[in-house]
Amino acid sequence: MDAREFGILSEEVRKLAKQAPRLGWGKVQNDKTDSKLDLFGIRSYTDLEKSIAQMADDDKNYWRRRWFVWQCSRCDEYLFYRIRGVERNPNRKDKSWDIRINGTIEFDIKGTRIPTKMRKDAERLINDPKDLIHFYYEKQSTGVRYDIQNRLFIVHHSFVGAEREVYLRTAWKSKPKIYEEYVANINRIRLYEYNGVQTSVIFIFEREKGKVDYHICGL
C-alpha cells in the first residue's frame, strides 16, 4: 500500500463505519461462512457488495464486518511501516508477522476491541492488560486462522458507547502520532509473554464523544 491507496481505502472504511450501527454485522467469524467467499481477492467495497448481493442479510453483514476489520488492519499496518525503522513483511501469505521494528522485534498486528463480558473492567484492563491478552489468545478462532505468534494488539474502546469502537478503528488523524510514539519508544516498552511469544498492547479509546485518547501498555 502507498499513500494514495491509503487515502482511498481509509476514506472507504470511514464511510462504512457510519453504517455499522444499523448493519448489526451479522454472525461471528467462522470457517463455514468464510468458505463462501474469497475475501482476500476483493479490493474495494463496491466489489464486495457485488460479490455478496445474492447472500442472506446475516451473511452480507458478516462479510461487511470482515472486510471492514481487514481493511482497517491494512491501514494500521501501513501507518506503521511508513515510519522510519519499520519494515513490512514482503510475503503477503506469511502469517508469522506483519511488521518488523528496528530489524529485531516482529509483530502480527491485530485490531480488536474489549469483549462484551470484560467491558465493565475496561479501566483495569487499560492499566493491566494481562487478562485481556490471555483471552485473545485462548478464545481466538479455532478454525483455519488459528495461530500463535508475536502480536501487537490495537484495542479500540469507547466509554461513550460500545458501538463506537468502529469510529476509533478509523481514527486516521490520531493514529499516526500514536504509532510513531510507539516505535520511538520500542526499546523502553515492557512486552508481555504468552505461551512463548511476545505481546504488546495499544489502547485507543474515548471518554468523551469524538475525543481520541490512548495508552501504550508497558510504557
Side-chain angles (χ1 to χ4, degrees):
M1 184 184 299
D2 57 22
R4 177 181 175 278
E5 185 178 2
F6 171 78
I8 295 171
L9 189 56
S10 61
E11 184 59 27
E12 275 197 312
V13 293
R14 280 184 65 86
K15 289 179 180 178
L16 184 54
K18 294 178 181 179
Q19 301 179 46
R22 65 179 176 81
L23 290 177
W25 290 129
K27 62 190 74 173
V28 299
Q29 193 168 345
N30 64 89
D31 289 342
K32 182 177 180 181
T33 306
D34 282 356
S35 67
K36 298 179 181 180
L37 182 68
D38 176 18
L39 181 67
F40 302 107
I42 295 173
R43 289 297 173 180
S44 72
Y45 183 62
T46 299
D47 288 344
L48 174 68
E49 286 295 331
K50 290 178 180 178
S51 298
I52 64 177
Q54 303 305 314
M55 294 184 180
D57 286 345
D58 279 354
D59 283 347
K60 287 180 180 179
N61 288 339
Y62 171 87
W63 285 113
R64 288 168 180 143
R65 169 74 180 186
R66 286 288 317 281
W67 190 86
F68 173 82
V69 170
W70 175 42
Q71 301 307 329
C72 285
S73 291
R74 291 184 65 216
C75 288
D76 283 331
E77 291 170 25
Y78 168 77
L79 291 178
F80 269 102
Y81 62 67
R82 63 187 283 275
I83 302 170
R84 183 184 297 276
V86 181
E87 60 184 292
R88 64 190 294 189
N89 189 336
N91 183 357
R92 290 177 56 195
K93 296 182 179 180
D94 180 9
K95 297 196 301 179
S96 62
W97 62 281
D98 294 319
I99 61 168
R100 179 186 290 136
I101 303 176
N102 295 340
T104 55
I105 185 70
E106 297 173 349
F107 286 118
D108 175 50
I109 295 177
K110 295 291 184 185
T112 187
R113 58 186 175 180
I114 298 177
T116 302
K117 68 178 184 179
M118 302 179 80
R119 285 176 190 157
K120 66 181 185 299
D121 298 319
E123 294 283 9
R124 176 178 65 84
L125 295 171
I126 289 173
N127 290 301
D128 182 1
K130 288 192 289 293
D131 289 344
L132 191 61
I133 290 169
H134 291 170
F135 179 92
Y136 288 147
Y137 278 109
E138 294 167 8
K139 302 299 182 180
Q140 67 174 311
S141 168
T142 56
V144 297
R145 292 168 303 280
Y146 180 85
D147 203 359
I148 291 181
Q149 66 277 98
N150 290 356
R151 287 184 182 161
L152 170 54
F153 291 106
I154 302 172
V155 185
H156 307 85
H157 179 73
S158 174
F159 288 93
V160 178
E163 74 284 352
R164 288 186 54 79
E165 56 99 4
V166 293
Y167 296 105
L168 294 172
R169 286 181 188 262
T170 61
W172 307 128
K173 291 184 178 179
S174 300
K175 283 186 169 184
K177 292 182 180 179
I178 298 171
Y179 298 164
E180 287 165 9
E181 180 179 342
Y182 181 89
V183 172
N185 289 280
I186 188 61
N187 293 328
R188 298 177 52 220
I189 296 171
R190 179 173 66 88
L191 303 180
Y192 300 86
E193 291 192 6
Y194 174 85
N195 201 21
V197 299
Q198 293 183 306
T199 301
S200 194
V201 181
I202 299 173
F203 280 94
I204 297 177
F205 57 92
E206 64 173 5
R207 298 185 187 281
E208 300 177 29
K209 188 174 181 179
K211 187 175 181 179
V212 178
D213 203 348
Y214 69 99
H215 177 64
I216 299 173
C217 297
L219 180 62

